[in-house]
Amino acid sequence: MTVYSKLSVLLFSVCMLCGIFMNNAALASKTDNAVSLVNELLEEVSNIQKTEVSMEQRRAEFLKLIYAYFDITIIAKASTGPYWRAATSDEKEHYTKLISELIADVTSSQLGEIDNFSFDFQSSIPKGDKMVMVSGNLLVPNQSITKISVKWRVSTPNSDIAKIIDIEFENISMLVTQKQENIAIIRKNAGSFPALIEAIEGKLRK
Amino acid sequence: MKFKFMKIHQFYLPIIVCLGFILTSCSGVDKSDASYNRDPFENTNRQIYAFNDSVDTLILEPVVYGYNKAIPQSAKTAVANHVFWAGLPNTALNSGLQGKWENTALSSLHFSVNALTLGLINLVSEEEPPVSQDFGKTLSVYDVPEGPYVVLPILGGKTSRHAFGQVANMIVNPYSALEEKKAISQAVSMQPVLSTISWRAANFDIVNDIKYNSLDGYVRARSAYYQNRFGEMPSLSVQPSEADALFDDLDFEK
């Protein structure tokens, strides 16, 4: 083997090692970002719950969190399945706004007066190269169910961006459930996307 | 030892008859209209769901509301412990049938030790309690197909396999061996009522959320059932969940 060949092999090996190292570093950075995002969100939720405000104000605060911490465009797209493509851009925009409000509405009513909870982190696992699953238990003392298994799906398209796209409580994905409800409504109305928008508006008005 | 099954059967007989009736006379929907391909009898299921919903609104919800308000949390925990304890013989039996010997031993241990308090107080300081098993899960281990989704009066929505497993659990209930003693017999008869109230109380907000906050309560209940049951299934834990499949297919580009 000539000196040139030896150098080539050495250079190739160094490049491979650097590639593996950088890839691992990027993955580690993504999982760290995902865990930080979940912890930050829970802290913000806890602060809102501890503050004495009206239900309307609380809902408004949750709506801000949803825009800040959730990838609402992905959620809107995934929750309407094949009907997303058929919708007009106005319908998409309107639905995206409504689904954010619906999540804020449901979250504020579900959390009610609970202000004492903590998150017992268990693991963060990359799912492919664009998503991280953060798992743990939500500990809620003095409630009928004191320990709830929670998984957060966090979209991580690159090392700098992390946004939540789904939450699973006791294996029940909020996004899958919403998608199935949405599709049932659209199908019941002969494939009409505006019928879904109308149904959500009706629900929010109640 | 004399086995008596009638106590259990008297309570569940109308349900079992209805199950047979539903499975033989279900009105289906056109495949293109079925919102979920596991639910070919959606029209009939929706009618029974509406009946169950009315029963819940008129009877169960007010009773459980009062139960939640009047009974202290420690007493509710004791009742929930008792209901869990009462299901342990079935768990031990089904764990054995599934070859899960550790769970069989653990549930037998919990049952024997906690029998001193009728299960009201957990005397075993095990960090992880035994995992509840039923005959439906055992059937899944032996690759019995899950069958169509059916909504049963009072018992709610289940796969046919799960519904059949529930009936089998009642028939082979190990308590039937103890029914010669009147007090135990009465206690056994109360189990379905007690477990229903305890379950509804523990899941009061979740069930109410499905009833009052959903766009389509029937679809949300069905979706939650399938996802939760999938998470509990021993034979399916290696397969991707519905959420995994959703994100695998999703194009992340906006």
Side-chain angles (χ1 to χ4, degrees), chain A residues 149-164:
Chain A
S149 153
V150 191
K151 288 176 190 156
W152 311 76
R153 278 173 204 270
V154 181
S155 155
T156 51
N158 60 51
S159 306
D160 303 325
I161 302 171
K163 294 264 182 179
I164 295 162

Side-chain angles (χ1 to χ4, degrees), chain B residues 228-244:
Chain B
N228 185 255
R229 185 78 179 160
F230 179 94
E232 292 176 345
M233 289 301 236
S235 60
L236 299 180
S237 53
V238 289
Q239 291 179 18
S241 66
E242 286 192 63
D244 288 331

Side-chain angles (χ1 to χ4, degrees), chain A residues 71 74 77 110 127 144-145 153 165 168 170-171 173 175-177 179-182 184-185 187 203, chain B residues 34-36 202 209 212-216 219-220 223 227-228 231 242-244 246-247 251-254:
Chain A
D71 191 331
I74 292 283
K77 188 177 174 180
Q110 277 183 347
K127 290 257 184 182
S144 53
I145 300 174
R153 278 173 204 270
I165 49 177
E168 278 183 35
E170 298 291 345
N171 302 316
S173 151
L175 193 54
V176 169
T177 310
K179 181 187 174 186
Q180 289 178 359
E181 267 188 87
N182 289 350
I185 287 168
R187 284 191 179 165
K203 184 52 72 186
Chain B
S35 62
Y36 206 57
D209 180 51
Y212 304 118
N213 288 335
S214 56
L215 296 174
D216 185 333
V219 173
R220 189 179 283 198
S223 174
Q227 292 183 69
N228 185 255
E242 286 192 63
D244 288 331
L246 170 68
F247 289 107
D251 174 13
F252 279 83
E253 300 306 318
K254 292 172 188 173

Side-chain angles (χ1 to χ4, degrees), chain B residues 66-250:
Chain B
Y67 174 83
N68 272 344
K69 287 276 171 206
I71 309 287
Q73 188 56 48
S74 54
K76 283 188 279 188
T77 305
V79 172
N81 285 345
H82 170 75
V83 169
F84 179 74
W85 170 81
L88 286 173
N90 255 327
T91 290
L93 181 70
N94 283 292
S95 301
L97 290 170
Q98 292 169 28
K100 297 190 165 193
W101 307 114
E102 197 181 327
N103 206 45
T104 305
L106 199 58
S107 43
S108 304
L109 174 78
H110 272 251
F111 184 75
S112 314
V113 174
N114 290 333
L116 292 169
T117 64
L118 281 176
L120 294 166
I121 301 166
N122 184 15
L123 301 172
V124 187
S125 59
E126 229 10 272
E127 201 171 287
E128 288 296 320
V131 180
S132 282
Q133 299 294 344
D134 57 56
F135 197 59
K137 290 178 189 172
T138 302
L139 292 174
S140 86
V141 169
Y142 291 98
D143 294 330
V144 174
E146 66 175 24
Y149 181 76
V150 287
V151 180
L152 305 178
I154 314 296
L155 294 180
K158 291 169 172 45
T159 61
S160 313
R161 179 179 63 198
H162 187 187
F164 176 77
Q166 198 152 5
V167 174
N169 275 346
M170 293 164 205
I171 294 168
V172 294
N173 189 341
Y175 284 110
S176 54
L178 303 171
E179 284 194 43
E180 282 167 5
K181 291 176 184 171
K182 202 180 171 195
I184 293 174
S185 166
Q186 283 172 348
V188 171
S189 302
M190 286 299 292
Q191 282 299 326
V193 178
L194 206 57
S195 62
T196 304
I197 291 175
S198 178
W199 181 87
R200 182 68 171 89
N203 297 284
F204 192 75
D205 291 334
I206 298 168
V207 177
N208 281 4
D209 180 51
I210 290 175
K211 280 175 69 177
Y212 304 118
N213 288 335
S214 56
L215 296 174
D216 185 333
Y218 172 81
V219 173
R220 189 179 283 198
R222 184 184 61 193
S223 174
Y225 166 76
Y226 269 109
Q227 292 183 69
N228 185 255
R229 185 78 179 160
F230 179 94
E232 292 176 345
M233 289 301 236
S235 60
L236 299 180
S237 53
V238 289
Q239 291 179 18
S241 66
E242 286 192 63
D244 288 331
L246 170 68
F247 289 107
D248 283 348
D249 294 343
L250 189 66

Side-chain angles (χ1 to χ4, degrees), chain A:
Chain A
M1 206 181 248
T2 62
V3 174
Y4 179 73
S5 309
K6 281 179 184 171
L7 272 175
S8 302
V9 170
L10 188 67
L11 197 62
F12 178 74
S13 306
V14 168
C15 286
M16 285 293 285
L17 281 172
C18 284
I20 291 166
F21 175 75
M22 281 168 72
N23 192 33
N24 283 346
L27 275 179
S29 159
K30 283 181 179 183
T31 51
D32 288 350
N33 285 350
V35 175
S36 305
L37 184 82
V38 168
N39 284 328
E40 275 172 35
L41 172 67
L42 285 170
E43 205 177 313
E44 296 251 28
V45 171
S46 176
N47 289 340
I48 294 174
Q49 289 297 102
K50 281 176 184 158
T51 317
E52 280 193 21
V53 286
S54 69
M55 196 59 152
E56 204 51 50
Q57 283 171 304
R58 187 169 289 173
R59 201 167 18 218
E61 291 296 321
F62 278 125
L63 193 56
K64 279 186 207 161
L65 291 188
I66 285 159
Y67 284 126
Y69 287 89
F70 288 72
D71 191 331
I72 207 70
T73 313
I74 292 283
I75 291 171
K77 188 177 174 180
S79 63
T80 46
Y83 296 99
W84 179 255
R85 273 188 204 161
T88 64
S89 51
D90 279 354
E91 285 167 351
K92 284 177 184 171
E93 197 180 322
H94 195 178
Y95 172 76
T96 307
K97 183 175 168 283
L98 287 175
I99 196 74
S100 316
E101 287 175 20
L102 188 68
I103 298 170
D105 195 53
V106 170
T107 312
S108 55
S109 76
Q110 277 183 347
L111 281 174
E113 299 303 315
I114 297 172
D115 60 358
N116 182 15
F117 61 84
S118 58
F119 182 61
D120 175 24
F121 168 78
Q122 287 189 325
S123 66
S124 61
I125 303 163
K127 290 257 184 182
D129 58 349
K130 287 182 180 168
M131 198 163 62
V132 173
M133 175 91 94
V134 180
S135 308
N137 289 308
L138 209 54
L139 307 174
V140 198
N142 306 321
Q143 296 294 319
S144 53
I145 300 174
T146 52
K147 186 171 148 186
I148 304 162
S149 153
V150 191
K151 288 176 190 156
W152 311 76
R153 278 173 204 270
V154 181
S155 155
T156 51
N158 60 51
S159 306
D160 303 325
I161 302 171
K163 294 264 182 179
I164 295 162
I165 49 177
D166 189 22
I167 309 174
E168 278 183 35
F169 293 102
E170 298 291 345
N171 302 316
I172 300 172
S173 151
M174 299 296 104
L175 193 54
V176 169
T177 310
Q178 191 64 51
K179 181 187 174 186
Q180 289 178 359
E181 267 188 87
N182 289 350
I183 287 182
I185 287 168
I186 294 174
R187 284 191 179 165
K188 210 188 292 175
N189 292 281
S192 162
F193 199 88
L196 173 66
I197 290 176
E198 208 172 298
I200 299 176
E201 280 177 332
K203 184 52 72 186
L204 287 170
R205 270 198 301 268
K206 274 187 185 174

Side-chain angles (χ1 to χ4, degrees), chain B residues 17-28 41 43-44 47-48:
Chain B
V17 170
C18 285
L19 172 63
F21 174 75
I22 293 157
L23 290 176
T24 52
S25 66
C26 281
S27 67
F41 309 128
N43 290 346
T44 306
Q47 287 167 16
I48 301 168

